[in-house]
Amino acid sequence: MASFVKSKIKAAREAIGKKDWAAAENNALQALEYEPDNYHGNVFLGLASVELGNNKQSEAAYRKAIVSSPEQVLAWQGLSKYYERVGDWKDYAETLVKMMDLHAKANDATKCAEALQKLIDVRRSRGTSEELYDTLLLLLPSSSYYNVLSSLPPPEPTAPTSTTTYAIQSAIQNSLPILEELVSMEEKREERFINSEVDKRRMRLNALP
């Protein structure tokens, strides 16, 4: 039975390489009939399913793989790509944070920085100012990720596209732009609060007889 499952997992992997999503899904499902918790079987099913438009099956497969082996990053990567694809930005951000945790635990500075850059990007484009503020704090020495990220090499200004982590490298090497952005955000937050309080008092005064 183990050899049958192994052969089906191999066939699913080969089908994915050929972008034959139907064959990949079929082989993964056959493997999972005998080993429902097979990690790679669920990951391959998740990938094939989303390509075939079966979103619920895709998410469920990735989640099942994560339950069986939560410390392996492959299913988290697949799940993050799934949430990005379907536009579920809240869950997308949460999976990126989990990936950052796993990469930091493994001392993989590059992968951790890549996940953090994606998190910053989604906070800028889809998040609130408070979410962006909290995310930018992760670049400062007080962050639990800082020790890992500080092991990145200095950025090469003449070749910014030669690395996938240039923005993070720059922020780690020189935190002043990040600090300035955080201060600016804090000032705007205080200004909004003051304006809100002034408006509230004005309304109360206007309501007096």
Side-chain angles (χ1 to χ4, degrees):
M1 196 63 66
S3 61
F4 171 80
V5 172
K6 187 175 181 179
S7 69
K8 290 300 177 182
I9 295 298
K10 181 181 178 181
R13 181 185 289 108
E14 291 174 349
I16 287 172
K18 299 174 183 176
K19 298 188 184 299
D20 186 346
W21 307 117
E25 180 186 51
N26 182 55
N27 282 290
L29 284 170
Q30 288 187 59
L32 292 169
E33 285 182 10
Y34 294 95
E35 287 187 16
D37 294 327
N38 185 283
Y39 184 81
H40 286 97
N42 279 302
V43 170
F44 294 158
L45 178 60
L47 177 56
S49 296
V50 74
E51 293 293 341
L52 294 170
N54 192 344
N55 291 341
K56 288 186 178 180
Q57 179 171 269
S58 176
E59 182 181 15
Y62 282 132
R63 287 292 183 186
K64 194 166 187 179
I66 288 168
V67 168
S68 69
S69 191
E71 297 304 308
Q72 287 199 52
V73 75
L74 188 60
W76 287 106
Q77 289 175 335
L79 191 61
S80 73
K81 290 178 181 177
Y82 164 78
Y83 286 135
E84 182 181 22
R85 186 163 182 166
V86 301
D88 186 339
W89 305 115
K90 178 179 179 295
D91 285 333
Y92 175 59
E94 289 178 357
T95 58
L96 290 174
V97 172
K98 181 60 181 180
M99 288 166 60
M100 287 166 55
D101 291 340
L102 293 176
H103 292 314
K105 187 176 180 180
N107 288 315
D108 191 331
T110 298
K111 292 295 184 182
C112 184
E114 288 174 345
L116 177 53
Q117 184 59 60
K118 290 178 181 178
L119 182 62
I120 292 172
D121 290 344
V122 76
R123 292 307 194 199
R124 288 195 188 282
S125 62
R126 306 283 180 175
T128 65
S129 60
E130 288 77 13
E131 288 171 336
L132 176 58
Y133 184 93
D134 290 342
T135 303
L136 292 176
L137 289 175
L138 301 179
L139 293 165
L140 301 182
S142 57
S143 164
S144 60
Y145 304 103
Y146 189 81
N147 285 341
V148 173
L149 295 174
S150 62
S151 67
L152 289 167
E156 179 51 63
T158 61
T161 59
S162 64
T163 173
T164 56
T165 59
Y166 182 81
I168 302 298
Q169 289 171 267
S170 300
I172 294 298
Q173 290 294 317
N174 179 17
S175 62
L176 181 58
I178 297 299
L179 290 170
E180 289 176 338
E181 183 174 2
L182 288 168
V183 169
S184 175
M185 294 175 71
E186 185 64 33
E187 288 174 347
K188 290 178 181 177
R189 183 187 300 177
E190 291 178 1
E191 183 180 354
R192 287 195 298 269
F193 174 76
I194 291 172
N195 289 338
S196 174
E197 289 300 306
V198 169
D199 289 341
K200 289 178 182 177
R201 294 185 182 185
R202 183 177 292 123
M203 290 177 64
R204 285 198 294 268
L205 289 172
N206 291 338
L208 293 175

